[in-house]
Amino acid sequence: QQVRNKTPNATMHSPPSPESSFHTPQQSPSPTANDTTLDEFEIWPDGDVVYEIPSSKLHENGNPHFGWALSHYNTTTENKNGETVKHRCCKGVMVCPSEECRFCVKPIGFSPVGLKGRPRRMNARCPVHKKDLTWIPCTGGPKTSRWKELYNPPCQVVTKFHPATPGVIAVEHKGSHNHPRPADNRPTPSARRQLEELVKANPELGPVQLQVGGITRLPLPKVHPSLNNKDRVGYLRKKILRRHSI
């Protein structure tokens, strides 16, 4: 749990050297039909990859789930190919300045919105060392003419949806992330569905009881690490109960 406190504007931290890269480029196998569990490369795309995500793995609003801190900067509705194209860029991570600490979260809020945006004031400190978090921007994006206004562009994610193929969303990722992975603080679509089925079958259970699990129930943190947060579980549980009028 983060310790909240007022801090100055986020400071910029130099990204790690290529020799200490945290990730290697990943392959892009074809999606498995009727599969609802996201593969690691779908949550954390890295390198220049193109793949498809079936609708069974999307959030209820039709968006794919990514672990990186991605910010929208452009949306094209019905381009010349009839596709809806959304452009996102990675905003890096917020980390503890202590070298031995692995505390790492997503930055929140950017000003201005877009490619050149920087994190706004982040009222969070490292819960272990009580130090203000520093920002590591993503600078592993493609060095092409499209990004000529940026000296070190971020990684880019482009998603395409075509009405003729409503069952999938095409994803194109460009660049290699030169920063660690932040904590994925949102449940994946499959984790949300598991939680929904669990709440529907056991509406009398509160957030803590759901988290602990039982003989026939898996503890929620094993479903997804983000469900270790009691307040988040309570919020999602209320939404599920209201949706099904329970």
Side-chain angles (χ1 to χ4, degrees), residues 122-201:
M122 185 168 182
N123 298 327
R125 307 183 78 187
C126 174
V128 178
H129 297 94
K130 314 302 180 185
K131 294 183 178 181
D132 298 343
L133 300 180
T134 57
W135 179 42
I136 299 180
C138 180
T139 58
K143 307 298 190 294
T144 64
S145 58
R146 179 181 176 85
W147 305 84
K148 60 184 178 181
E149 73 278 8
L150 296 176
Y151 181 69
N152 290 311
C155 290
Q156 178 191 22
V157 176
V158 181
T159 58
K160 297 180 180 180
F161 170 79
H162 197 288
T165 55
V168 296
I169 280 186
V171 178
E172 181 180 10
H173 182 279
K174 298 178 181 179
S176 298
H177 297 270
N178 56 347
H179 54 83
R181 295 177 179 179
D184 190 4
N185 56 3
R186 294 187 309 146
T188 61
S190 61
R192 286 177 179 266
R193 284 189 281 269
Q194 289 184 60
L195 175 62
E196 183 166 357
E197 292 303 316
L198 185 58
V199 171
K200 287 166 57 180

Side-chain angles (χ1 to χ4, degrees), residues 222-238:
K222 290 189 176 181
V223 175
H224 193 271
S226 67
L227 297 178
N228 193 39
N229 186 309
K230 184 185 71 173
D231 294 336
R232 177 175 290 110
V233 173
Y235 169 75
L236 294 174
R237 172 180 175 271
K238 288 181 180 179

Side-chain angles (χ1 to χ4, degrees), residues 23-223:
H23 309 291
T24 57
Q26 301 184 23
Q27 301 298 318
S28 53
S30 300
T32 303
N34 301 322
D35 188 12
T36 61
T37 303
L38 284 164
D39 295 315
E40 184 177 9
F41 82 92
E42 294 172 317
I43 300 175
W44 306 101
D46 206 352
D48 296 331
V49 294
V50 179
Y51 58 95
E52 292 181 340
I53 299 179
S55 57
S56 59
K57 296 185 179 184
L58 301 176
H59 283 289
E60 292 179 349
N61 59 7
N63 287 328
H65 181 95
F66 297 112
W68 305 112
L70 300 180
S71 175
H72 285 88
Y73 68 89
N74 187 28
T75 299
T76 302
T77 304
E78 294 187 2
N79 62 8
K80 61 181 181 180
N81 296 322
E83 301 168 319
T84 297
V85 183
K86 294 183 178 182
H87 297 261
R88 300 171 174 88
C89 61
C90 180
K91 290 301 184 179
V93 292
M94 302 293 291
V95 300
C96 174
S98 299
E99 292 185 2
E100 71 279 5
C101 185
R102 302 299 293 175
F103 185 73
C104 178
V105 295
K106 296 179 181 180
I108 53 175
F110 302 99
S111 181
V113 175
L115 294 173
K116 297 182 180 180
R118 297 172 60 90
R120 297 173 182 169
R121 179 176 296 177
M122 185 168 182
N123 298 327
R125 307 183 78 187
C126 174
V128 178
H129 297 94
K130 314 302 180 185
K131 294 183 178 181
D132 298 343
L133 300 180
T134 57
W135 179 42
I136 299 180
C138 180
T139 58
K143 307 298 190 294
T144 64
S145 58
R146 179 181 176 85
W147 305 84
K148 60 184 178 181
E149 73 278 8
L150 296 176
Y151 181 69
N152 290 311
C155 290
Q156 178 191 22
V157 176
V158 181
T159 58
K160 297 180 180 180
F161 170 79
H162 197 288
T165 55
V168 296
I169 280 186
V171 178
E172 181 180 10
H173 182 279
K174 298 178 181 179
S176 298
H177 297 270
N178 56 347
H179 54 83
R181 295 177 179 179
D184 190 4
N185 56 3
R186 294 187 309 146
T188 61
S190 61
R192 286 177 179 266
R193 284 189 281 269
Q194 289 184 60
L195 175 62
E196 183 166 357
E197 292 303 316
L198 185 58
V199 171
K200 287 166 57 180
N202 304 274
E204 73 284 356
L205 298 182
V208 175
Q209 293 170 299
L210 290 169
Q211 285 181 307
V212 172
I215 298 177
T216 59
R217 301 192 313 274
L218 193 67
L220 287 183
K222 290 189 176 181
V223 175

